[in-house]
Amino acid sequence: MVENTAVPEFNQPHVNSVVLAQIIGAIDSGDPAALATLNVTEQFNDADIANLLESMPEKYRAPLCHVISPARAWPILHLLQYETARHIIGQLSRGQLHLLIAAAVEKDILTFAEILPQELVDEFVDQQEAAATEQLQKALTYQDEEVGRYTTYDVLRARPSATVARTMERMDKAKPRQFVGVYVVDANGVFHGGCTIGQVLSAPSEAKLIDICTPMELLSDRQDISAAARLLNPVEGFAWQPVQKEGKIVGAFAVSLLMQRLKDKSLEVLASDTPQSEEDLFTPVAVAARVRAVWLTANLLTAFLASAVIGLFEAALQQVVALAILMPVVASMGGIAGSQTLAVALRGIALNHLKRGNLKLLLDKEIKIAAFNGIGLGLLIGAVVWYWFDSFTLGGIIFVAIVFNSLAAASSGTVIPFVLKQMKVDPAVAGSVILTTVTDVVGFIIFLGLGSLLLTVS
């Protein structure tokens, strides 16, 4: 990683396909200067660069990471999906990791402790002051998705009868420690509510905390952050929510982090640039029924097409009953393989990661996966069929059909949703209809065609 430079902020929420293709071409050229001339880090903000990294295969990420400064790398890592961040950190050299740790703050280590080398995490902890080290070590005992991982312990617990003057004396004595809130707990451990520091400072000195505190919900230190975000009703004016451990108030959790988690979860299921004419979650029944009926009718027509293909091999099916028995295996394997690829492509479209510039790269990746799984499962299915029907030829036929149908499923599952999006048709609704037709027709033509050539007699 290189030294940090001033980065102008551009209003570019999504990097376009042309830029992505230019960066991939520069990296493929093998000339480091070609990538440097694009001035990626100067042209784009952190969100744009995160989008670029999400939109390219692993082998292209490392060269791009080399031109990102350590100080800027952390904000970008926080914007990535966790698995993408894991892949990128795993590709960094030892020297790059040390530079990254040197630029880290506590939040960075807490978020990525699970994927950073343990010795580097320990090195960061050793460099902190004693009080900070104690808090960091406590936080690292929790799982990444638990509330306790991101809890601050800078809170003041006080009795209901304590006055504002007494509370302010305690805060003064604790300086330079800065508290994020005051939480009122009685002698029996019952939590009565919380006060912001602003409330304490503005209240009359003789006022008791029980009279100015506000009832609040408690979070558990072992609670899942996403679940806490969904269930919590934040109190207006309070930036921190109290956290309890084993029935005792131990710290506070930032409400902003809970809201960010809700936003992140929402973005995972929202598709960008969704055609307005398509169905949303609560589209009126009549409109939704009409939209779906169009594609159900299309599916009916494609089903007849698949049936027509089967009809071409009627004579072969009559002579070799095993072909009819095994047809659903071929169709099912192609359909499932295709639906897996379709799900990946749809997710890429929803997150704006799948573009014209990286479509070929995704297609290449999916075809390799399909070839690997198709050959492996094809050999297994072929061996079972050979044993079951005592026919090596039939086993070989279904092996070939599984392999080629898997390749067809991967190709169509990748390309179809992208083409539908370009045509302003919702790929989530229409994609599976077209995909099923492709896998059924290709699978039946190969399987029944080979069967009629090699197993039947004239």
Side-chain angles (χ1 to χ4, degrees):
M1 303 227 173
V2 299
E3 276 189 26
N4 193 17
T5 57
V7 181
E9 292 295 323
F10 284 74
N11 185 22
Q12 295 173 262
H14 299 300
V15 181
N16 63 40
S17 181
V18 174
V19 173
L20 180 63
Q22 289 176 343
I23 293 172
I24 290 174
I27 295 172
D28 279 335
S29 71
D31 181 9
L35 181 59
T37 58
L38 295 177
N39 297 321
V40 176
T41 57
E42 295 180 9
Q43 289 191 63
F44 303 112
N45 59 33
D46 293 345
D48 292 333
I49 295 177
N51 187 275
L52 277 170
L53 289 168
E54 294 276 14
S55 301
M56 56 179 59
E58 287 183 47
K59 71 174 184 177
Y60 293 95
R61 291 171 179 167
L64 184 55
C65 288
H66 277 82
V67 299
I68 301 172
S69 68
R72 196 173 175 199
W74 285 114
I76 293 172
L77 285 170
H78 283 284
L79 292 170
L80 297 172
Q81 299 176 66
Y82 200 73
E83 282 305 308
T84 305
R86 181 194 299 275
H87 292 153
I88 289 174
I89 289 175
Q91 289 182 318
L92 297 179
S93 68
R94 207 70 184 164
Q96 289 175 312
L97 285 171
H98 278 288
L99 289 174
L100 200 61
I101 293 296
V105 296
E106 183 178 315
K107 174 188 174 184
D108 304 325
I109 300 300
L110 288 176
T111 302
F112 297 107
E114 306 297 330
I115 57 180
L116 288 167
Q118 185 59 48
E119 63 270 23
L120 294 183
V121 175
D122 293 340
E123 176 184 314
F124 179 87
V125 173
D126 291 341
Q127 292 172 354
Q128 308 308 301
E129 295 179 0
T133 298
E134 183 181 357
Q135 289 202 21
L136 190 55
Q137 288 174 335
K138 285 182 182 178
L140 291 173
T141 62
Y142 292 93
Q143 297 297 316
D144 185 58
E145 289 299 308
E146 290 181 332
V147 166
R149 185 66 170 262
Y150 306 98
T151 294
T152 178
Y153 298 92
D154 291 325
V155 299
L156 184 66
R157 289 171 291 274
R159 293 285 186 252
S161 58
T163 63
V164 167
R166 173 58 182 154
T167 304
M168 291 179 65
E169 285 178 14
R170 292 180 60 193
M171 289 193 291
D172 286 338
K173 288 181 180 179
K175 286 181 178 180
R177 186 180 179 188
Q178 298 290 323
F179 296 107
V180 299
V182 178
Y183 298 117
V184 182
V185 183
D186 65 24
N188 296 319
V190 177
F191 174 65
H192 291 271
C195 305
T196 66
I197 301 302
Q199 283 178 319
V200 174
L201 294 176
S202 61
S205 59
E206 68 277 5
K208 294 183 178 181
L209 294 183
I210 189 63
D211 296 325
I212 65 171
C213 71
T214 302
M216 302 179 70
E217 296 178 29
L218 290 170
L219 300 178
S220 169
D221 66 321
R222 293 292 179 182
Q223 194 171 1
D224 180 81
I225 297 174
S226 298
R230 289 193 300 269
L231 298 173
L232 182 66
N233 294 311
V235 179
E236 186 177 354
F238 283 79
W240 297 86
Q241 203 71 21
V243 176
Q244 65 175 346
K245 177 182 180 180
E246 299 174 354
K248 297 179 180 179
I249 305 294
V250 294
F253 193 95
V255 174
S256 60
L257 186 54
L258 292 173
M259 297 304 102
Q260 182 62 44
R261 184 55 56 92
L262 278 181
K263 180 181 176 182
D264 292 344
K265 291 295 181 182
S266 298
L267 288 175
E268 289 178 8
V269 297
L270 289 177
S272 61
D273 302 324
T274 301
Q276 295 300 311
S277 60
E278 298 292 355
E279 180 183 353
D280 62 26
L281 190 61
F282 290 108
T283 297
V285 173
V287 177
R290 184 172 67 251
V291 171
R292 296 188 194 186
V294 171
W295 292 105
L296 286 172
T297 303
N299 184 66
L300 180 62
L301 296 176
T302 59
F304 279 121
L305 175 61
S307 298
V309 171
I310 296 172
L312 296 175
F313 302 98
E314 181 179 357
L317 290 169
Q318 289 177 347
Q319 289 191 43
V320 185
V321 178
L323 292 175
I325 296 173
L326 295 172
M327 275 171 49
V329 176
V330 177
S332 176
M333 290 299 296
I336 294 299
S339 64
Q340 290 175 332
T341 303
L342 183 67
V344 171
L346 286 174
R347 189 170 188 275
I349 290 173
L351 296 174
N352 199 43
H353 295 158
L354 181 57
K355 307 176 179 70
R356 187 182 301 275
N358 63 356
L359 179 62
K360 184 178 178 181
L361 295 172
L362 179 63
L363 182 60
D364 179 63
K365 169 206 162 191
E366 292 298 328
I367 286 178
K368 289 177 181 176
I369 294 172
F372 178 81
N373 287 336
I375 292 173
L377 293 172
L379 287 171
L380 176 62
I381 295 170
V384 171
V385 170
W386 179 13
Y387 176 79
W388 185 6
F389 293 98
D390 194 22
S391 171
F392 176 79
T393 303
L394 184 58
I397 289 171
I398 199 168
F399 165 75
V400 172
I402 292 292
V403 171
F404 280 92
N405 206 21
S406 296
L407 295 174
S411 303
S412 55
T414 302
V415 175
I416 286 171
F418 182 81
V419 172
L420 289 173
K421 181 190 176 187
Q422 300 302 308
M423 296 171 61
K424 304 300 182 184
V425 176
D426 187 356
V429 175
S432 59
V433 175
I434 302 174
L435 173 67
T436 302
T437 303
V438 171
T439 55
D440 283 354
V441 170
V442 171
F444 291 154
I445 287 178
I446 296 174
F447 182 60
L448 297 178
L450 288 175
S452 64
L453 287 174
L454 301 177
L455 295 176
T456 61
V457 294
S458 55

